[in-house]
Amino acid sequence: MDHLSNTSGWPVHFIDNNEREYMSLIQNQIRPLFPNFAGALSKQTLAEREIGRCAVVEFNEGFNQRTSSFANSAELRHYLLATSSSPAIGCQKQIKRRLFVLEDLPRNYILTLGSQLRIPPSFFAGHYDDPASSTFNHRNPFERHTKSQFRVRYGDSHRAEVDIPPHKRNSMYAFNTNVCRYLHAYDPKGLLYDEMRSHHILSFWSSPLGMDGSWDAVLLVDPPLRGHAKCLPSMQLVPVRHELRDENSIPKVCLYPEMNSLQELPEEVSEWASAYECPQYISVFDDAVNDFASRNQDVCEMDNPMAVVKFPRKLVIGIMLAFVRRRYLNLLRIQKTHVKPNQTFRHNYLSSFSEGALSSWHDEFFDFIVGSCAAMKELIREMEENMVSLGLPMKNESARNSGVAGGPPQWEIDGWRSVLDLVHVLDGLTNALATGYLQYISIQEARISNGNAQSLSKITVLTMLFIPLSTVASIFSMSGDFLPGNPKAWVFWVVSVPVLMMLAYLYWRQELVEALMRKRQSLLLLLERRERKAEFLGPDNER
């Protein structure tokens, strides 16, 4: 079916019967489970239905793998219809092993791929919602692991700034994409200022293997942060600047791991550079497609659709490791001491707690600590779910299936365990920070309470000292001769002053004795030093 162009320049996508049934399946059957996805898909404009990129990688035995990109959904439909037709008489049918890489969730591409490849709509629907939000149906609880699908959630950092006036800045923005993704920004004047962060998903689906070994697979990747973001809740577009106004405000460090596991360089010198995997870590789509175009897949891996997406899976591990490492450095830098502002190391973490920014009570500090502890617990759970989705054994489970046919590769087990181990380290650091902060604040409160108690004790002592005077005054007031102005008024002072002095002596006697002892000790030390000095200078004086 051909397509026409409208006045806006976007090709008009004519929906055929299969695509209409697929859309009906989304709106009627999937909507109760994924209402946000169904609603957003139906509200996409003509332009948004085509926003996205799609490419296909064909793995053919005896030939180099071929990568092709589609300019629009009409080209994708034409390709699918042309390759699904029966071969000519006398021609041998070629085995089809195809991987489709789709960036974002444009409606036209979803309908074309879903209806032609018979993909369950829940595969696309589970990829829509933001990974940081409270969602439950993004994974099937009855199939936590299957060899034909996986969905991995991960975090990413962006060295960029939203270019708007300071008084209009917000802590969260929305990606200008069809998928629901949010951009979290830090306050430059807050407790912690760091690169903006976001959360993403990598989804994979493959069809069952055909009798001849044919298969089709789809890899869904998130689009990168481009030139605009959306303000919340107005959804107004604002520009994004991919460089900081002050580059010194955020330390620039390289946190991505090495992707290569070479035992030695190839024999040919000309192959040394191509043997290294050097992703740009900007666009998962670009890095994946470039890797497919630059290297050929092993023939032994072509029968396993999961094996051909080895590089995207490894890429996600690298991005997640960099994300967690940045969180680790943030915890080390959280103490903004004036003595050592940039010299906080692992071995002296929290060693200068009383000198840092967390040495006094602030609601912002408490919110940060409580939020960090909760985030670490949720991050651990998310990483464990990723490992379950990929069929990887936990640390306390046996890895007997790794390295054998059909089992998870050892590099993937080690990669996700590295991520999980570092997250556990972060969890321990945040717990230590929370415990130290609460205990330090409790000590400060106790010191303040002790100071108040000492102030009250002084008032109590003064009251105690003047109680005898009140008693004596009450006794002498019984007779008029002892009242002020009368001849015997002096008797009150003769009795009161000795009583007051005796009580004061009894109360401060111990302190006076200790003061005299300290004075005596200091005098003895002074005399001893003078004697030693005289003995030392004696022989010189004789000469």
Side-chain angles (χ1 to χ4, degrees), residues 11 76 79 82 88 110 116 134 168 177 193 201 217 224 244 281 310 313-314 329 344-345 379 392 465:
L76 173 62
Y79 167 82
I110 292 175
Q116 294 292 330
S134 300
K168 294 184 178 180
T177 57
Y193 183 56
I201 303 177
L244 306 181
Y281 291 108
K310 169 184 175 181
R313 284 150 52 201
K314 186 182 290 188
L329 293 179
T344 304
F345 302 103
L379 190 58
L392 307 179
L465 292 176

Side-chain angles (χ1 to χ4, degrees), residues 72 275 285:
N72 49 56
F285 181 89

Side-chain angles (χ1 to χ4, degrees), residues 297-311:
Q297 199 72 26
D298 293 339
V299 178
C300 59
E301 297 179 347
M302 289 186 180
D303 291 333
N304 183 8
M306 281 280 290
V308 301
V309 292
K310 169 184 175 181
F311 179 80

Side-chain angles (χ1 to χ4, degrees), residues 121-362:
S122 58
F123 169 69
F124 298 103
H127 188 85
Y128 174 79
D129 285 317
D130 181 66
S133 59
S134 300
T135 59
F136 301 99
N137 288 330
H138 59 282
R139 289 192 176 101
N140 190 341
F142 302 102
E143 287 184 340
R144 301 188 64 186
H145 165 62
T146 173
K147 294 183 178 181
S148 62
Q149 295 186 42
F150 69 79
R151 200 182 307 277
V152 175
R153 293 181 163 194
Y154 63 97
D156 196 6
S157 300
H158 309 274
R159 194 172 182 83
E161 288 180 339
V162 179
D163 194 7
I164 58 176
H167 66 278
K168 294 184 178 180
R169 287 177 181 171
N170 200 354
S171 61
M172 189 167 64
Y173 304 88
F175 273 66
N176 185 27
T177 57
N178 290 320
V179 289
C180 183
R181 301 291 181 267
Y182 294 108
L183 187 65
H184 302 265
Y186 292 88
D187 184 5
K189 298 181 180 180
L191 175 64
L192 178 66
Y193 183 56
D194 193 32
E195 296 181 359
M196 294 188 293
R197 71 182 191 276
S198 58
H199 302 271
H200 301 277
I201 303 177
L202 181 74
S203 301
F204 174 79
W205 170 90
S206 65
S207 65
L209 289 178
M211 297 296 294
D212 58 349
S214 298
W215 52 263
D216 286 315
V218 176
L219 183 70
L220 297 182
V221 300
D222 284 354
L225 178 63
R226 302 195 186 276
H228 289 85
K230 296 179 181 178
C231 283
L232 298 175
S234 63
M235 304 304 287
Q236 180 182 0
L237 287 178
V238 292
V240 175
R241 185 176 57 253
H242 289 271
E243 57 183 11
L244 306 181
R245 292 184 182 274
D246 183 11
E247 290 291 338
N248 296 325
S249 60
I250 301 177
K252 191 173 184 179
V253 290
C254 183
L255 302 176
Y256 294 106
E258 184 181 6
M259 299 281 290
N260 305 279
S261 57
L262 299 175
Q263 299 297 326
E264 63 178 5
L265 294 175
E267 295 182 359
E268 294 293 334
V269 178
S270 59
E271 298 178 358
W272 286 2
S274 60
Y276 272 83
E277 299 174 340
C278 299
Q280 298 297 316
Y281 291 108
I282 298 176
S283 169
V284 178
F285 181 89
D286 290 335
D287 287 337
V289 172
N290 291 337
D291 182 79
F292 286 130
S294 60
R295 66 182 74 248
N296 292 324
Q297 199 72 26
D298 293 339
V299 178
C300 59
E301 297 179 347
M302 289 186 180
D303 291 333
N304 183 8
M306 281 280 290
V308 301
V309 292
K310 169 184 175 181
F311 179 80
R313 284 150 52 201
K314 186 182 290 188
L315 185 67
V316 167
I317 295 176
I319 296 174
M320 191 64 206
L321 266 176
F323 180 82
V324 178
R325 288 172 177 177
R326 180 163 291 278
R327 311 279 82 74
Y328 178 81
L329 293 179
N330 289 340
L331 282 179
L332 294 184
R333 292 198 301 264
I334 199 66
Q335 297 183 81
K336 300 177 182 178
T337 58
H338 299 287
V339 180
K340 298 177 180 180
N342 296 317
Q343 297 182 9
T344 304
F345 302 103
R346 293 180 300 172
H347 60 274
N348 62 357
Y349 176 63
L350 300 181
S351 61
S352 304
F353 194 90
S354 60
E355 302 175 6
L358 302 176
S359 59
S360 59
W361 175 265
H362 290 283

Side-chain angles (χ1 to χ4, degrees), residues 529-542:
R529 289 175 182 173
R530 287 183 177 180
E531 290 178 358
R532 291 179 179 177
K533 185 177 181 181
E535 293 177 358
F536 180 75
L537 297 176
D540 295 338
N541 294 334
E542 292 177 358

